[in-house]
Every structure is written in C-alpha cells, then in structure tokens.
C-alpha cells in the first residue's frame, strides 16, 4: 500500500474499535508502519473509544449544583417581587389522595402551577435510600413555536435560610434540595418569563 | 437579554472566561460541565474517596472564580485546573495521612485508601481523553452525536444513529467522513496552539 494513499475512514474506525477482519488487518498494519498520519488518526480514534469505554468517575448532581451555584444571580429584591407574576395552583396530587382516601406510600407530591404563558410541573420527592428529598421541576411553555430561552435561574426562598438557586438550561428543568418547611416560595426567571410560586 | 447570549458550548475557553468574569451563570455552567470529569477525576486518580473528591471539586472551582482576573493565560485553563485540582488533592492527602498517623485505631487501617499504581500516568490519560472528548463536543450536532455513538462502548448501531439524527442510512458514512475531517482539523489547530503555549512557558521560565 502506498503511503500517499491513506486508510479509509471505515478501516480506521473498524481498527479503532478492534473489529477489522483479519484479511484486511495485515495490509492495514503494514500501511500504518509507514504512514504517520494514519497512525496518528488511529491513535486519536482509539483514544476516544478507550476514554468513553473507561467510564471515568463523575461528580454527583449535588456536587455539580454547588459548583454551579458559585455564579448565580442574586435573588430578586422585595421591591422586584411584583415583576414576577404569581402562579396559580391547578393540580395537587394530595387532592386526589384526599378524594380517594388513599395515601401514597412513597412521599411524592405532584403539583401543576399555571401562568398565562406556561405551566410549571413540580415534584416533591421524599427521601429514598441514600437520597435526600428533592424538588424537581420543569417549565412547560404553552406556545411551542417559540424558541426556548437559553438561560434562566430558579431560586427557592424559605424563612430562616439563605435563598438557594440553580441555573435553568434550555430544557427548563431543574432540581433543588427539597424545602425544609411547608412554607416556601420559588422565583423563576427563564428568558422573558418571570414566575413566582408561593406555597403557604 | 438571555436570547442574545452566544452558544457557550461552541465557544473557546478564552471567550467563555470573559463571560464568567461578568458573572454570567450559563458561561460558568459551561466551564464546570466542560471540565467536571477532569477536575473530579484527578483526586479520584490520586486515591481520594468520593467525599474528598467533592471537596477538591468545590475548592478548585471556587479558586478559579476567585482568581479569574489573575489568569495570565486564559487559553491554558485546562492546565490551570489540573494544577489546582492536583494541589488541592495533595493537601487533602497530606491531612489524611496526618490524621491516620494520629489515629492508632485499627479500624482506620480498614479504611486505608487504595492508591493507584501511578496517579501521574492515570491523570495524563484522563487529560488526553478529556481533551479528545471536548474536541468532539465542540463540533456540535450531528458530528458530536455520530462520533460519540460510534465510539461508545459498545458502539451504537448505524441504523439507530441515523434514525435519531433523522438522516438516511446511506448518508451516515459521508457525514461521518466530514465529521472525522473536522475533528482532525480541530485537533491539529489545538495541538499547534498547545505547542505555542508550551514554548511561551518554556521561554518564560528561562
């Protein structure tokens, strides 16, 4: 094989995945011995495959959240509250439980809050084995045609505790440690949307 | 306005750090996401337990934020983070050893940390792999999805990838070829700038 003619992408990929048929492997190896470019390409692709196969340890969600919270916008001042529209509670799983006289075994509460332009889906998940109680949420804009904002923030405010916040990405999903009391408030800012949820 | 923000996943470190210094949460999120495995993997490679690795992670990113304005070579962010994470890990390891020396308790022997054979080699492997992964991620979709799917362990079937990307099966091969070419170009460019960076460091240390 001429060193000026390089190995095709499919040969390089199959070699990186170590799936080259023996009939082609000999010629490919002979080419690699004389072609630094192909040898370098193969080492790159093999390196990528090995790195992905290795499953390196990842920080937990909590660890990531703490690092992300290092750059969080300051929570709105009391004077700004009115700029955040108050959301209306339209569904609470506890109503269902009360209506059917049942109590869910897992401490999970589901609520839907409504604003003219969006719904907010909230799930309060109780402590599990090795897992702290968590407040999970997602903003669901009603007008799907509009592009989802790229950035936003959600703050949780409880009396006697510092406001905590997380960054909202384009999916509008977030996860926070669950509030410690029954009374708490959430402020959400997601692009032009400003939403206030007050749980009393 | 939020919609005026750039797509941080495609920005180089130098530009993202400018946004971080303006306290833009989305830019900061990208830095943390981009380097999370590297910063967390170093203390783990050095034999620290997950709870200690969490501490190193937090310390490293806090230090980055504190020293953002002091970074003389923002294009060498990766090297800065590796050094900071390694130093924080060493501090913890030293205090751990001191604690262990003080505690004569035999229970402590059972908790002895398993130190890998060669942490430096392990860190270098992680660093190389993460550099490759960042280059792939910076290509954006569909290249990112194709290359990550193709080289995953086990690799994802072509049919599945084509369906997910909404591409005809026959066009996946040529698209893969273009993606590999873009990856080559990108890595070549990074290698050149890295070599220049190393040369500057060497000149500066004379």
């Amino acid at each position: 094989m001429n060193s000026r003619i390089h190995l095709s992408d499919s040969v390089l990929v199959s070699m990186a995945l170590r799936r080259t048929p023996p009939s082609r492997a000999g010629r490919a190896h002979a080419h690699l011995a004389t072609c630094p470019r192909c040898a370098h390409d193969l080492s790159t692709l093999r390196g990528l495959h090995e790195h992905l196969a290795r499953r390196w340890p990842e920080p937990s969600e909590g660890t990531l959240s703490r690092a992300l919270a290092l750059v969080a916008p300051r929570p709105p001042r009391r004077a700004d509250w009115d700029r955040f529209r108050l959301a209306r509670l339209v569904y609470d799983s506890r109503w269902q439980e009360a209506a059917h006289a049942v109590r869910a075994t897992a401490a999970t509460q589901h609520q839907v809050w409504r604003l003219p332009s969006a719904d907010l889906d909230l799930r309060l998940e109780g402590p599990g084995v090795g897992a702290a109680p968590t407040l999970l949420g997602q903003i669901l804009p009603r007008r799907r045609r509009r592009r989802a904002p790229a950035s936003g923030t959600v703050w949780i405010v409880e009396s006697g505790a510092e406001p905590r916040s997380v960054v909202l990405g384009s999916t509008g999903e977030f996860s926070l440690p669950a509030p410690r009391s029954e009374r708490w408030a959430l402020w959400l800012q997601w692009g032009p949307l400003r939403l206030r949820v007050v749980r009393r | 306005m939020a919609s005026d923000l750039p797509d941080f996943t495609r920005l180089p470190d130098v530009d993202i750090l400018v946004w971080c210094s303006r306290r833009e949460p989305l830019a900061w999120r990208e830095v943390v996401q981009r380097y999370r495995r590297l910063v967390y993997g170093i203390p783990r490679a050095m034999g620290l337990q997950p709870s200690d690795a969490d501490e190193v992670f937090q310390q490293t990113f806090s230090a980055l934020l504190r020293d953002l304005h002091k970074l003389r070579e923002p294009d060498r962010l990766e090297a800065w983070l590796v050094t900071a994470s390694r130093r924080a890990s060493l501090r913890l390891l030293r205090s751990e050893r001191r604690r262990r020396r003080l505690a004569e308790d035999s229970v402590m022997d059972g908790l002895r940390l398993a130190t890998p054979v060669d942490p430096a080699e392990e860190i270098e492997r992680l660093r190389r792999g993460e550099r490759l992964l960042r280059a792939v991620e910076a290509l954006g979709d569909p290249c990112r999805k194709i290359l990550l799917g193709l080289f995953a362990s086990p690799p994802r079937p072509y049919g599945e990838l084509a369906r997910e990307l909404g591409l005809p099966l026959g066009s996946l091969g040529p698209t893969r070829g273009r993606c590999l070419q873009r990856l080559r170009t990108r890595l070549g460019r990074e290698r050149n700038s890295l070599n220049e960076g190393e040369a500057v460091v060497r000149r500066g240390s004379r």
Side-chain angles (χ1 to χ4, degrees), chain A residues 130-143:
Chain A
T134 311
L135 182 67
L136 303 167
Q138 185 171 19
I139 305 175
L140 305 157
R142 296 251 185 69
R143 273 170 285 173

mmCIF file of all heavy atoms in Angstrom, chain A residues 130-143:
data_model
loop_
_atom_site.group_PDB
_atom_site.id
_atom_site.type_symbol
_atom_site.label_atom_id
_atom_site.label_comp_id
_atom_site.label_asym_id
_atom_site.label_seq_id
_atom_site.Cartn_x
_atom_site.Cartn_y
_atom_site.Cartn_z
ATOM 1 N N GLY A 130 -30.511 6.425 50.649
ATOM 2 C CA GLY A 130 -29.302 7.175 50.295
ATOM 3 C C GLY A 130 -29.556 8.435 49.491
ATOM 4 O O GLY A 130 -28.641 9.011 48.927
ATOM 5 N N ALA A 131 -30.807 8.857 49.372
ATOM 6 C CA ALA A 131 -31.099 10.060 48.585
ATOM 7 C C ALA A 131 -31.874 11.066 49.431
ATOM 8 O O ALA A 131 -32.817 10.695 50.139
ATOM 9 C CB ALA A 131 -31.918 9.692 47.353
ATOM 10 N N ALA A 132 -31.443 12.314 49.357
ATOM 11 C CA ALA A 132 -32.099 13.369 50.130
ATOM 12 C C ALA A 132 -33.389 13.786 49.423
ATOM 13 O O ALA A 132 -33.510 13.593 48.211
ATOM 14 C CB ALA A 132 -31.148 14.549 50.235
ATOM 15 N N PRO A 133 -34.365 14.346 50.167
ATOM 16 C CA PRO A 133 -35.574 14.821 49.486
ATOM 17 C C PRO A 133 -35.245 15.917 48.464
ATOM 18 O O PRO A 133 -34.378 16.756 48.713
ATOM 19 C CB PRO A 133 -36.435 15.377 50.628
ATOM 20 C CG PRO A 133 -35.582 15.402 51.834
ATOM 21 C CD PRO A 133 -34.390 14.561 51.604
ATOM 22 N N THR A 134 -35.936 15.861 47.354
ATOM 23 C CA THR A 134 -35.583 16.739 46.228
ATOM 24 C C THR A 134 -36.829 17.386 45.640
ATOM 25 O O THR A 134 -37.900 16.776 45.615
ATOM 26 C CB THR A 134 -34.901 15.898 45.122
ATOM 27 O OG1 THR A 134 -33.894 15.100 45.725
ATOM 28 C CG2 THR A 134 -34.260 16.764 44.062
ATOM 29 N N LEU A 135 -36.673 18.597 45.195
ATOM 30 C CA LEU A 135 -37.739 19.293 44.478
ATOM 31 C C LEU A 135 -37.341 19.332 42.998
ATOM 32 O O LEU A 135 -36.356 19.954 42.633
ATOM 33 C CB LEU A 135 -37.892 20.714 45.025
ATOM 34 C CG LEU A 135 -39.002 21.553 44.405
ATOM 35 C CD1 LEU A 135 -40.377 20.991 44.752
ATOM 36 C CD2 LEU A 135 -38.930 22.992 44.896
ATOM 37 N N LEU A 136 -38.116 18.622 42.185
ATOM 38 C CA LEU A 136 -37.820 18.574 40.746
ATOM 39 C C LEU A 136 -38.856 19.406 40.011
ATOM 40 O O LEU A 136 -40.035 19.367 40.375
ATOM 41 C CB LEU A 136 -37.898 17.135 40.225
ATOM 42 C CG LEU A 136 -36.997 16.113 40.894
ATOM 43 C CD1 LEU A 136 -37.389 14.705 40.504
ATOM 44 C CD2 LEU A 136 -35.549 16.379 40.496
ATOM 45 N N GLY A 137 -38.453 20.127 39.026
ATOM 46 C CA GLY A 137 -39.423 20.949 38.304
ATOM 47 C C GLY A 137 -39.094 21.097 36.839
ATOM 48 O O GLY A 137 -37.962 20.858 36.416
ATOM 49 N N GLN A 138 -40.114 21.462 36.090
ATOM 50 C CA GLN A 138 -39.891 21.790 34.670
ATOM 51 C C GLN A 138 -40.905 22.837 34.227
ATOM 52 O O GLN A 138 -42.099 22.713 34.515
ATOM 53 C CB GLN A 138 -40.016 20.547 33.798
ATOM 54 C CG GLN A 138 -39.666 20.887 32.349
ATOM 55 C CD GLN A 138 -39.557 19.673 31.440
ATOM 56 O OE1 GLN A 138 -40.063 18.615 31.773
ATOM 57 N NE2 GLN A 138 -38.906 19.848 30.312
ATOM 58 N N ILE A 139 -40.425 23.843 33.521
ATOM 59 C CA ILE A 139 -41.320 24.849 32.953
ATOM 60 C C ILE A 139 -41.735 24.361 31.576
ATOM 61 O O ILE A 139 -40.889 23.941 30.775
ATOM 62 C CB ILE A 139 -40.618 26.213 32.798
ATOM 63 C CG1 ILE A 139 -40.046 26.654 34.133
ATOM 64 C CG2 ILE A 139 -41.587 27.271 32.288
ATOM 65 C CD1 ILE A 139 -39.245 27.927 34.042
ATOM 66 N N LEU A 140 -43.019 24.400 31.317
ATOM 67 C CA LEU A 140 -43.529 23.925 30.028
ATOM 68 C C LEU A 140 -44.242 25.086 29.332
ATOM 69 O O LEU A 140 -45.393 25.389 29.649
ATOM 70 C CB LEU A 140 -44.506 22.761 30.249
ATOM 71 C CG LEU A 140 -43.926 21.593 31.054
ATOM 72 C CD1 LEU A 140 -45.003 20.774 31.715
ATOM 73 C CD2 LEU A 140 -43.071 20.727 30.151
ATOM 74 N N PRO A 141 -43.565 25.768 28.403
ATOM 75 C CA PRO A 141 -44.208 26.896 27.729
ATOM 76 C C PRO A 141 -45.383 26.402 26.883
ATOM 77 O O PRO A 141 -45.321 25.313 26.314
ATOM 78 C CB PRO A 141 -43.117 27.474 26.832
ATOM 79 C CG PRO A 141 -41.887 26.733 27.142
ATOM 80 C CD PRO A 141 -42.237 25.501 27.881
ATOM 81 N N ARG A 142 -46.465 27.183 26.825
ATOM 82 C CA ARG A 142 -47.637 26.729 26.057
ATOM 83 C C ARG A 142 -47.408 26.898 24.566
ATOM 84 O O ARG A 142 -47.844 26.093 23.777
ATOM 85 C CB ARG A 142 -48.850 27.554 26.447
ATOM 86 C CG ARG A 142 -49.225 27.367 27.862
ATOM 87 C CD ARG A 142 -50.520 26.582 27.999
ATOM 88 N NE ARG A 142 -50.839 26.573 29.403
ATOM 89 C CZ ARG A 142 -51.211 27.663 30.055
ATOM 90 N NH1 ARG A 142 -51.377 28.788 29.413
ATOM 91 N NH2 ARG A 142 -51.441 27.626 31.339
ATOM 92 N N ARG A 143 -46.718 28.022 24.209
ATOM 93 C CA ARG A 143 -46.519 28.251 22.773
ATOM 94 C C ARG A 143 -45.241 27.544 22.353
ATOM 95 O O ARG A 143 -44.131 28.016 22.618
ATOM 96 C CB ARG A 143 -46.443 29.751 22.489
ATOM 97 C CG ARG A 143 -47.828 30.333 22.260
ATOM 98 C CD ARG A 143 -47.769 31.832 22.219
ATOM 99 N NE ARG A 143 -47.599 32.395 23.562
ATOM 100 C CZ ARG A 143 -47.394 33.667 23.805
ATOM 101 N NH1 ARG A 143 -47.303 34.517 22.817
ATOM 102 N NH2 ARG A 143 -47.269 34.115 25.045
#
